[in-house]
Amino acid sequence: MRSAQDARTLLRYGLAAMLGLPGVAAFAQAMAPAGVSDVEVIPLPGPVPLPEPKYLTYQPVSRWPGTVQWFYNPAGAPAWADPAAVVAIVHGAFAKWSAACDVTAVYGGTSSATPNDLDGVSVVGWSGSIANPAATRYWYTGSGGTYTIVEADIVLHPGQVSDFTILDGMATHEAGHVIGLNHSDVQAAVMAGAPYTAYNTAVYQQTLRADDVAGCQFLYGARVPAGGLPTQTVVEFYHAEFDHYFITANASEIAKLDSGFFKGWARTGQTFTVLAPDVPRNGSVTPVCRFYGDPAAGLDSHFYSASPTECAQVRDRFKDWIWESDAVFAVYPADGATGRCPASTVPVYRTWNHRRDSNHRYTTRADVQAAMVAKGYIAEGYGDPPVVMCAPQ
């Protein structure tokens, strides 16, 4: 029997769309007009559905039984939506949830499967037939208290998703539906939405908040990398006046940046996972050092490296760079010849602005690295494209 605490938890994370109707598929359309219900329940062949429960908290929850494999159908995409860039952004959206809890999504390639059809293929695609910018339809089955998601499709409206910024926010929100989350009753959450709350902007939806993480972990548990090493989340910020990027996994720094204590900084929506700084040092894990560029020298920027040699060189040769820490967090080293990363890790790319006010940007997204290079930044690291370190997936 589910405890009262379990019941409160189910209600708290708004899992109505995934709750307890055997042999039933649920249709959740994100970004519906405010106040419009976004859940349609469609009976499928199987056991007779239970009556719609008055209290959804008493129904079982559905989860993916293993890895979520998704495909991309570029048919009907707008001209700006380069297929490789779309795939990279959707992959990044799923990676945010994978960093928050123990659910994994992998890209399976392109497909001609039509989104919104039960065909055994979970596909992201485009259609102008939906009323809203984006929609997610998912199917689940089961009985006896065990319910499993069997397919989930995301539909994007080519006339309403008009650039990569909007796509990032939409994909992050929709990926939350794909893994089993309905809309949250917390306005600050990425998963905020009708009928419980109002939808947030696409830019806001790019970064998971505490309620999103808690809901994800309720479904799948916390993410624990191989070896049981503790992780942290690196958050990226941008200062428009300086045209500088900054990353940190330090909770105090993140709070001060979010509160405006440090003026001019705003989240970009980009995050990635790292290991805690105090993990055991061995051949497969390396600490990341951090230096601060002295403002008196026209710098006012931070530099990170996972290379002990590079850390030592900066400390010894560049006196305008002030040493702050030998280990702000830890990562896995990339191969020094090929840039290849170990299994279950993702590449971290570093680009340099090539200016006197030296500033670097760090990202796990190859499309972001390419965009910075197109702006005149220089890619640094090992291999092609260059990689500087590897982050846990």
Side-chain angles (χ1 to χ4, degrees):
M1 179 178 292
R2 205 176 289 277
S3 70
Q5 179 60 45
D6 286 338
R8 287 193 296 273
T9 303
L10 286 174
L11 178 61
R12 177 69 181 76
Y13 296 121
L15 299 167
M18 300 304 303
L19 297 180
L21 303 182
V24 170
F27 178 53
Q29 285 187 318
M31 303 305 295
V36 176
S37 173
D38 72 342
V39 178
E40 177 186 355
V41 179
I42 307 170
L44 293 178
V48 177
L50 296 173
E52 182 71 18
K54 181 177 180 181
Y55 299 105
L56 296 173
T57 54
Y58 295 106
Q59 299 300 305
V61 180
S62 297
R63 304 173 178 84
W64 287 90
T67 298
V68 183
Q69 185 178 46
W70 63 276
F71 296 80
Y72 177 56
N73 184 346
W80 59 265
D82 175 73
V86 171
V87 168
I89 287 176
V90 176
H91 172 76
F94 279 114
K96 297 172 192 177
W97 293 102
S98 293
C101 66
D102 197 17
V103 61
T104 300
V106 297
Y107 175 56
T110 57
S111 173
S112 60
T114 304
N116 279 350
D117 287 344
L118 180 60
D119 50 19
V121 180
S122 294
V123 65
V124 178
W126 301 84
S127 175
S129 64
I130 59 174
N132 310 300
T136 296
R137 172 174 282 181
Y138 45 81
W139 293 261
Y140 64 100
T141 188
S143 61
T146 301
Y147 295 81
T148 299
I149 305 174
V150 296
E151 181 183 334
D153 295 345
I154 295 176
V155 184
L156 303 166
H157 195 300
Q160 298 186 53
V161 179
S162 56
D163 57 41
F164 289 119
T165 298
I166 294 175
L167 175 62
D168 192 0
M170 296 293 159
T172 303
H173 181 98
E174 299 305 322
H177 286 315
V178 168
I179 66 170
L181 291 173
N182 192 13
H183 288 148
S184 173
D185 59 355
V186 174
Q187 187 58 61
V190 164
M191 298 309 296
Y196 313 106
T197 42
Y199 294 98
N200 289 306
T201 66
V203 172
Y204 186 91
Q205 288 180 334
Q206 291 176 357
T207 304
L208 301 187
R209 299 326 200 264
D211 187 66
D212 305 302
V213 173
C216 186
Q217 291 185 356
F218 170 74
L219 282 174
Y220 297 97
R223 165 70 66 180
V224 179
L229 300 177
T231 62
Q232 297 178 338
T233 298
V234 165
V235 179
E236 183 186 53
F237 294 84
Y238 178 67
H239 197 295
E241 180 183 351
F242 300 158
D243 189 24
H244 278 190
Y245 294 90
F246 173 67
I247 60 168
T248 180
N250 182 282
S252 176
E253 290 180 343
I254 291 171
K256 288 180 178 179
L257 288 158
D258 281 337
S259 70
F261 180 86
F262 297 119
K263 305 295 183 184
W265 293 95
R267 291 188 184 222
T268 65
Q270 302 303 312
T271 62
F272 59 90
T273 303
V274 293
L275 300 173
D278 56 352
V279 297
R281 308 288 175 84
N282 54 52
S284 65
V285 174
T286 185
V288 173
C289 66
R290 187 170 97 171
F291 292 84
Y292 176 54
D294 189 350
L299 295 170
D300 195 14
S301 182
H302 287 81
F303 175 77
Y304 300 79
S305 178
S307 165
T309 300
E310 190 174 46
C311 292
Q313 289 175 341
V314 172
R315 193 169 187 174
D316 294 340
R317 296 171 53 191
F318 299 97
K319 301 306 180 183
D320 289 337
W321 288 91
I322 303 166
W323 171 83
E324 288 190 331
S325 175
D326 283 330
V328 286
F329 50 80
V331 293
Y332 298 94
D335 185 276
T338 65
R340 198 166 296 151
C341 284
S344 301
T345 68
V346 295
V348 178
Y349 307 102
R350 186 176 78 197
T351 53
W352 175 47
N353 67 356
H354 198 208
R355 300 195 313 240
R356 179 68 185 87
D357 64 335
S358 186
N359 179 245
H360 293 77
R361 188 174 189 187
Y362 302 80
T363 179
T364 55
R365 286 174 44 178
D367 64 311
V368 171
Q369 182 200 40
M372 301 310 292
V373 170
K375 289 177 62 176
Y377 281 56
I378 296 175
E380 300 179 331
Y382 318 104
D384 184 20
V387 175
V388 291
M389 61 186 84
C390 305
Q393 194 170 43

